[in-house]
Amino acid sequence: MDNFLKWLMSGNHLAYASSLLTFCCLTLFGLGSFIYKKYLVRKGELFISPTFNTKNITYMGIMIACSVSVTVVISLVAPITVFPPIRVAFEGIMIKITGMIFGPIIGLIVGLITELLTMLFIPSFIHPAYFIVAIGFGFWAGMASFTFKLKSKQQWITITIITLFIIAATAFLYNTLQHLRTDENGNVKLFGIPVKKELIPMLFIIMMGVLLLICYIMCGIFVLLKKQKWLEIILPIFLICIVTEILITVLTAAWGDAGLLTSNTDDGYISMVALRVVQIPLKIIFNTALLSTVYSVLRPLIKK
């Protein structure tokens, strides 16, 4: 086990493992959907996914057009958008919304097409990590969207999932970060600056603890204000933001950022991971507020 964790912390292997997890889950989901719809819904019937009807394909086109056009327009006003991490963040809003409303398969298709079209209109640094990020946003948003079906009294299930995911991610990454490669003084280099190895795992635990505390405080406030209906929107989106932030933004996007911003050294990737770990609570709060607003506006229109 120690050898495996050491392997993860060498080079970009942690990003590879995160990307592999996404594609494995995608494969299992696709296989499960195929078996369910072919053999359990109407046995012997040709498999045609009901999600790809005319209306949903039209909405896919609208979501792609909105995401690409907004990103392109913003890039004209603020040229910093050509910077890949900024560009992908803007794209991710509509990609996540699509996955939340239409499910993981449509979400990942919209993510991939959006990234390809945006690259045509906004030429920038090309890296496979950013394509995986776009796909992962749509897929994981769709996978976590089942919690929108839970009513107010069932939101304890969402809270439990959030808690278990944070605990599992914290435990795994804490043990993994213990195997960081160090110099002769026991330090890890972040952007060329020597830092004590113990600081990075401890920083991750603190940030994840703050995140869990924010979740409980938010739930307590809504319950006290008797706004349980808000929890039906806020909590699922909070779960989506946590999953996509940790699995995709922190672990996978850092791979592309390291290739863009740092020299080709082993400490480049972990430097990007550490930088994104510090931003986790603030980014999740901002993304939750933004996605909740956009979802609240779009969902009734699409239902009609």
Side-chain angles (χ1 to χ4, degrees), residues 5 26 31 46 53 74 90 104 150 168 170 195 256:
L5 295 178
L26 170 59
L31 182 61
L46 179 65
N53 52 40
I74 291 177
F90 279 109
L150 302 175
T170 303
V195 177

Side-chain angles (χ1 to χ4, degrees), residues 126-194:
I126 299 176
H127 196 281
Y130 297 121
F131 290 96
I132 298 173
V133 167
I135 292 173
F137 279 160
F139 174 71
W140 287 112
M143 289 296 289
S145 64
F146 78 93
T147 52
F148 282 106
K149 299 178 182 179
L150 302 175
K151 302 303 180 183
S152 298
K153 294 182 179 179
Q154 298 175 313
Q155 286 304 318
W156 65 269
I157 299 176
T158 307
I159 297 174
T160 302
I161 295 174
I162 291 173
T163 303
L164 292 177
F165 180 82
I166 290 178
I167 291 174
T170 303
F172 174 76
L173 288 176
Y174 177 79
N175 290 323
T176 302
L177 292 171
Q178 296 291 335
H179 294 80
L180 287 168
R181 296 178 63 180
T182 60
D183 57 20
E184 61 277 4
N185 297 320
N187 295 327
V188 178
K189 287 187 177 181
L190 297 182
F191 303 102
I193 302 174

Side-chain angles (χ1 to χ4, degrees), residues 27-232:
T27 302
L28 292 175
F29 176 82
L31 182 61
S33 298
F34 177 83
I35 294 174
Y36 175 78
K37 292 173 182 177
K38 183 173 183 179
Y39 296 103
L40 299 181
V41 177
R42 289 184 181 179
K43 188 174 182 180
E45 183 177 303
L46 179 65
F47 172 67
I48 301 176
S49 175
T51 56
F52 288 97
N53 52 40
T54 304
K55 183 178 73 172
N56 285 352
I57 292 175
T58 302
Y59 281 128
M60 286 173 61
I62 293 173
M63 293 296 188
I64 292 171
C66 288
S67 181
V68 174
S69 59
V70 167
T71 306
V72 172
V73 170
I74 291 177
S75 70
L76 297 176
V77 178
I80 194 175
T81 310
V82 301
F83 197 54
I86 307 295
R87 186 195 73 236
V88 172
F90 279 109
E91 293 175 11
I93 297 172
M94 294 307 298
I95 294 173
K96 291 175 186 177
I97 290 292
T98 305
M100 289 158 54
I101 296 176
F102 297 105
I105 300 300
I106 292 181
L108 74 89
I109 292 174
V110 169
L112 179 59
I113 297 175
T114 298
E115 177 66 11
L116 290 172
L117 291 177
T118 305
M119 288 297 300
L120 292 177
F121 291 105
I122 311 177
S124 183
F125 178 75
I126 299 176
H127 196 281
Y130 297 121
F131 290 96
I132 298 173
V133 167
I135 292 173
F137 279 160
F139 174 71
W140 287 112
M143 289 296 289
S145 64
F146 78 93
T147 52
F148 282 106
K149 299 178 182 179
L150 302 175
K151 302 303 180 183
S152 298
K153 294 182 179 179
Q154 298 175 313
Q155 286 304 318
W156 65 269
I157 299 176
T158 307
I159 297 174
T160 302
I161 295 174
I162 291 173
T163 303
L164 292 177
F165 180 82
I166 290 178
I167 291 174
T170 303
F172 174 76
L173 288 176
Y174 177 79
N175 290 323
T176 302
L177 292 171
Q178 296 291 335
H179 294 80
L180 287 168
R181 296 178 63 180
T182 60
D183 57 20
E184 61 277 4
N185 297 320
N187 295 327
V188 178
K189 287 187 177 181
L190 297 182
F191 303 102
I193 302 174
V195 177
K196 288 294 184 183
K197 185 183 75 170
E198 296 77 13
L199 179 62
I200 298 178
M202 189 57 62
L203 180 64
F204 185 76
I205 286 183
I206 292 173
M207 292 297 106
M208 298 304 286
V210 169
L211 197 59
L212 197 57
L213 183 61
I214 290 172
C215 176
Y216 292 153
I217 291 175
M218 179 180 65
C219 294
I221 291 174
F222 285 146
V223 170
L224 290 175
L225 295 177
K226 297 182 179 180
K227 300 292 185 180
Q228 285 86 349
K229 285 292 181 181
W230 290 7
L231 290 178
E232 296 180 14

